[in-house]
Amino acid sequence: MHSKLEFVSASILDTQLSIRSIDVKVAALLVGILAPLHKTSRIFSHLDHFWSQSPRWIFATAVVLFILLWLFALASLVRAIGAVDNPSKHIINITNCRGTFYGEGLYYWGIFDVFVNRDIITASKDPKSFSDHLPTNEAEIELELVYEKLKLAYIRDIKIYRLNWGLRFSLMWLVIGIVIYLSSKYILN
């Protein structure tokens, strides 16, 4: 690489690709923890049998932990795959950054936009005013690219963090589930 611009541009591309691969991993893990839902009645029959054993508080704790770990895994993975809040809120000293690389702040959404496309939603800037805010020299371009890199790094890092916790919760849920299943099926009869 011959310049900072090339370096930051390559870094942005690499970070974008990392985010995509994280999303694929999260989706695969989500499929894994949602797959048993079609066997809910069978799962709950094992949980009920396990719950009814004595001393009840030990077995009940395991069942509650099983359900909570599944919910924590699901929540962390859904949060990992979902949209992250505005990453620019997590970057300091951005007064000279305009956010023109991704067109930050051009559209404002309401709750209805989740369900329908409304004609009233238009860009907050016309093409001329947007063009006037584009960086005009290499130093401004570099600053904008670094700003975008920082935003992407935040998105990547929060997704990795949530994926890792989702994986931990999933593994603990799986281990407890296997123990409950084997105990219910073979030991506690």
Side-chain angles (χ1 to χ4, degrees):
M1 291 183 214
H2 298 95
S3 71
K4 282 184 178 180
L5 290 177
E6 288 179 19
F7 174 81
V8 175
S9 296
S11 179
I12 286 172
L13 179 61
D14 184 68
T15 306
Q16 290 170 329
L17 293 173
S18 294
I19 290 169
R20 286 187 192 111
S21 73
I22 292 164
D23 285 343
V24 168
K25 292 172 187 171
V26 170
L29 200 49
L30 267 170
V31 167
I33 68 163
L34 292 174
L37 281 181
H38 75 285
K39 300 273 188 183
T40 304
S41 63
R42 191 165 171 203
I43 291 169
F44 276 102
S45 72
H46 285 287
L47 292 177
D48 185 49
H49 183 254
F50 196 78
W51 178 283
S52 66
Q53 301 303 309
S54 194
R56 176 168 267 169
W57 69 271
I58 293 174
F59 294 99
T61 302
V63 170
V64 169
L65 193 58
F66 173 80
I67 293 169
L68 286 177
L69 285 170
W70 184 83
L71 290 172
F72 291 161
L74 181 65
S76 61
L77 293 171
V78 167
R79 293 284 295 146
I81 200 84
V84 176
D85 70 338
N86 187 349
S88 63
K89 293 191 294 188
H90 304 278
I91 301 171
I92 59 171
N93 299 328
I94 60 170
T95 53
N96 294 327
C97 301
R98 301 176 188 155
T100 55
F101 189 80
Y102 282 117
E104 180 179 304
L106 285 176
Y107 299 93
Y108 300 98
W109 310 103
I111 188 66
F112 296 115
D113 299 306
V114 172
F115 307 105
V116 296
N117 292 329
R118 298 185 302 156
D119 293 335
I120 195 170
I121 301 297
T122 57
S124 60
K125 295 179 182 168
D126 61 61
K128 173 74 173 108
S129 63
F130 185 76
S131 176
D132 291 342
H133 281 87
L134 292 175
T136 57
N137 59 50
E138 194 167 308
E140 289 179 358
I141 292 170
E142 181 183 314
L143 182 63
E144 284 296 312
L145 289 176
V146 168
Y147 176 53
E148 295 306 325
K149 168 60 183 172
L150 290 172
K151 292 191 308 185
L152 287 169
Y154 170 78
I155 292 168
R156 178 202 57 214
D157 291 351
I158 193 69
K159 283 179 172 280
I160 288 171
Y161 184 73
R162 290 173 178 163
L163 169 62
N164 285 336
W165 274 103
L167 183 59
R168 287 179 187 125
F169 290 136
S170 298
L171 289 174
M172 289 186 282
W173 167 75
L174 182 63
V175 167
I176 290 175
I178 289 171
V179 168
I180 289 173
Y181 172 75
L182 293 176
S183 298
S184 172
K185 183 100 171 146
Y186 300 108
I187 298 172
L188 301 173
N189 280 330

